[in-house]
Amino acid sequence: MNFEHLRALAAVIDEGTFEAAADRLHISPSAVSQRIKALEKSAGQVVVRRAVPCTATDAGSALLRLARQVQLLEAEAREALGSGSSAVTATPVAVNADSLATWFLAVFEDAAGWADTTLDLHVEDQDHSSRLLRQGDVLGAVTSDPAPVNGCRAVRLGAMRYVPAAAPGLRERFTGAAGVDWEAMPVLHFNTKDDLQRGFLASRNVSGSPPMHTVPSSEAFVAAVRAGLGWGMVPELQVGSDFDDGRLVLLDARAHHDVVLYWQSWTLQSERLDRLTEAVRRASRRLRS
């Protein structure tokens, strides 16, 4: 398979259109189209869905993984051969929003010294981030899936603990002689993939549907809990001194939920990938063992 054809595939998927891919590769859109058609002829299958944005088919996802691996290994081979200055390669990584807002920030301190690498972060729920590995969109992912994706290795990082928290005033408003009225007290959730609050309510046999606010930002989610908009399962790493200062109250000390996280990355002999893996492992020391 022609390397230039694989580069064209990666550019089309990353940029979303043939025209934008052409600008990135400094060639004409027709040349991009010809390379994709040649790749499809070689594979015997359609590899790109012509839509806006363009997406990879199942066959295209397999080739996209190959394209990214080739780009990474080619850059390292050129560096080893001393052929000019070190090529800068993009490093696509999937990470869940709560990790990105807390412990993963330490990875940036290491990456700031990598002159040959740029980070391309994809924010995805930890229960779904391994899908991006399968599709070839990323070369590494923080995920809750312990089973390695085909062609990848998995390393346990630790557990991220979530605790049920609320503003003191909110709890008081919805607490009576029988305790907290879970069916009436407003609740927050991050997005449709967030089932932490539903799991908490199910453990209390709450059959009703309390008012629910959607706040799809880790920082804003905690801010909304502090403001009394609703209660939610918040990362222990984001709480800080809020419980000690009285800004938040713990609704149930026994009802914490631990999400075990793993780092999955391609099984490649790559110095850059190994370096990234070590940075992620060092940063994850803030997680519970």
Side-chain angles (χ1 to χ4, degrees), residues 103 133 141-149 152-159 260-266 273-274 277-278 280-282 284 287:
W103 65 270
L133 277 172
V142 176
T143 174
S144 59
D145 188 355
V149 171
C152 295
R153 56 194 168 195
V155 177
R156 189 183 189 280
L157 298 175
V260 179
L261 298 176
Y262 300 83
W263 169 250
Q264 290 205 31
S265 60
W266 291 339
L273 188 54
D274 290 343
T277 296
E278 285 306 308
V280 172
R281 294 183 70 175
R282 281 194 297 272
S284 70
L287 297 174

Side-chain angles (χ1 to χ4, degrees), residues 235-248:
E236 195 175 53
L237 290 175
Q238 280 186 293
V239 171
S241 61
D242 284 357
F243 290 137
D244 295 332
D245 297 342
R247 296 181 67 188
L248 292 177

Side-chain angles (χ1 to χ4, degrees), residues 77 81 104 156 218 246 270 281:
L81 292 171
F104 196 87
R156 189 183 189 280
S218 289
S270 164
R281 294 183 70 175

Side-chain angles (χ1 to χ4, degrees), residues 55 81-82 92 96 101 107 117 172 191 199 201 204 207 217 237 253 258 267 279:
T55 57
L81 292 171
N96 60 305
V107 175
T117 303
E172 290 172 8
N191 56 26
L201 292 173
R204 279 157 175 71
S207 57
S217 160
L237 290 175
D258 290 344
T267 308

Side-chain angles (χ1 to χ4, degrees), residues 150-228:
N150 187 31
C152 295
R153 56 194 168 195
V155 177
R156 189 183 189 280
L157 298 175
M160 195 157 189
R161 174 160 292 184
Y162 291 80
V163 294
L170 182 74
R171 184 183 63 175
E172 290 172 8
R173 282 167 47 205
F174 291 93
T175 300
V180 175
D181 187 349
W182 297 107
E183 294 189 7
M185 186 162 65
V187 60
L188 304 176
H189 76 160
F190 187 84
N191 56 26
T192 57
K193 299 174 183 176
D194 178 13
D195 60 359
L196 291 178
Q197 288 72 218
R198 295 187 186 93
F200 178 91
L201 292 173
S203 69
R204 279 157 175 71
N205 299 314
V206 177
S207 57
S209 298
M212 183 171 289
H213 300 280
T214 301
V215 184
S217 160
S218 289
E219 294 83 357
F221 187 97
V222 177
V225 173
R226 291 183 180 126

Side-chain angles (χ1 to χ4, degrees), residues 7-28:
R7 284 195 185 93
L9 173 64
V12 168
I13 300 305
D14 287 345
E15 301 298 330
T17 66
F18 280 59
E19 292 75 14
D23 289 341
R24 170 171 154 179
L25 298 174
H26 306 293
I27 59 177
S28 68

Side-chain angles (χ1 to χ4, degrees), residues 8-73:
L9 173 64
V12 168
I13 300 305
D14 287 345
E15 301 298 330
T17 66
F18 280 59
E19 292 75 14
D23 289 341
R24 170 171 154 179
L25 298 174
H26 306 293
I27 59 177
S28 68
S30 62
V32 173
S33 180
Q34 290 170 9
R35 292 181 184 184
I36 296 300
K37 289 179 180 177
L39 183 60
E40 291 177 329
K41 182 177 180 180
S42 174
Q45 301 180 60
V46 174
V47 299
V48 174
R49 298 185 185 92
R50 274 71 165 177
V52 180
C54 293
T55 57
T57 63
D58 289 343
S61 293
L63 292 176
L64 184 60
R65 289 194 297 271
L66 175 60
R68 298 201 191 282
Q69 291 171 1
V70 166
Q71 289 174 330
L72 178 64
L73 296 178

